Amino acid sequence: MSALLEHVMSPEVRPFAIAAAMIVIVGSIEVVSMLVGASLSEMLGTNIDFGHPSDNGVINAISWVNVGGVPLLIFILLLLGAFSITGFLIQDIARMVAGPLPATLASVGAVAVSIPLVRATSRAIARVIPKDESYAVGLGDLVGRVGEVVIGPLDQGPPGRVSVADIHGNRHFVWAVAAPSSSPLAQGTMVLLVDRDGTRFVAVKADDELKPIKPTLSNS
């Protein structure tokens, strides 16, 4: 075990070990964020859009790799995974032939191999992800929707989080504060999103007739 750890942390493979560790860290953050009613994947997806042509050459280059075809979080994990695995393989082969390469040289080779690999993999994943342009909604489309406070209470101070479904039933977790005239809205309260300022929504308590009807069991 100590020999394996020593091998993984040796200087010539350290960049690839760091990439592997980042996969674990990013994945753990996503799991924890989902448990508290948020989503790292959704936050990244709503803030960055590589799917359209841009004057920025870096964005266009990333778009060419096909980040626009898969969620950004999946792209990041694919890139880290490809870089890490390719780097370890390069160094293992070099070690068997003559000796490990300098970390910088091996990293350049790993990047060169990872880019087409990630492009092909992301395209394959994109084919199985449902894509229907009619299902795309903007933040403004959520105004007027009823959601539930999942991180609260909501008041006029720092925003909390509201879980709200769009017209297609897709779930979003958005930042929200209570309206100026509203009393604090406790966690679990059904609220109506009445306004938006950037990525922050303004909420009021939903009237009973706006709340979704929960199915009840009937005696047969």
Side-chain angles (χ1 to χ4, degrees):
M1 184 66 180
S2 59
L4 176 62
L5 183 61
E6 182 178 349
H7 168 66
V8 170
M9 294 308 297
S10 58
E12 62 269 16
V13 297
R14 190 166 297 158
F16 317 118
I18 292 174
M22 289 178 65
I23 295 175
V24 176
I25 293 172
V26 172
S28 301
I29 292 175
E30 171 68 359
V31 171
V32 172
S33 66
M34 292 179 66
L35 290 176
V36 299
S39 172
L40 178 61
S41 179
E42 181 179 331
M43 286 185 284
L44 289 175
T46 55
N47 290 329
I48 303 176
D49 180 11
F50 295 107
H52 299 88
S54 170
D55 294 332
N56 190 311
V58 174
I59 291 180
N60 285 332
I62 298 177
S63 180
W64 180 86
V65 183
N66 202 46
V67 67
V70 296
L72 183 59
L73 185 62
I74 293 179
F75 171 78
I76 292 174
L77 294 177
L78 283 175
L79 187 59
L80 290 173
F83 176 76
S84 178
I85 294 172
T86 303
F88 277 114
L89 288 176
I90 288 175
Q91 290 293 44
D92 286 342
I93 294 172
R95 189 179 287 107
M96 289 187 295
V97 174
L101 300 172
T104 302
L105 182 59
S107 297
V108 172
V111 170
V113 175
S114 297
I115 289 176
L117 181 62
V118 171
R119 177 175 169 83
T121 305
S122 63
R123 283 183 175 273
I125 294 175
R127 293 192 188 101
V128 301
I129 296 178
K131 291 185 292 296
D132 186 338
E133 291 301 324
S134 65
Y135 281 77
V137 297
L139 287 178
D141 297 319
L142 299 178
V143 174
R145 305 293 298 177
V146 174
E148 180 181 355
V149 179
V150 292
I151 299 179
L154 302 187
D155 52 26
Q156 289 74 36
R161 297 285 273 183
V162 172
S163 171
V164 58
D166 60 32
I167 59 174
H168 305 294
N170 300 315
R171 184 65 52 180
H172 302 264
F173 297 90
V174 299
W175 298 107
V177 296
S181 58
S182 172
S183 57
L185 304 169
Q187 185 171 324
T189 302
M190 301 303 297
V191 297
L192 175 66
L193 303 180
V194 296
D195 199 2
R196 179 175 69 93
D197 181 13
T199 58
R200 179 183 299 190
F201 288 81
V202 178
V204 298
K205 186 175 181 179
D207 294 333
D208 290 338
E209 59 267 23
L210 295 177
K211 296 178 182 178
I213 300 174
K214 296 182 180 179
T216 57
L217 295 176
S218 58
N219 296 326
S220 55

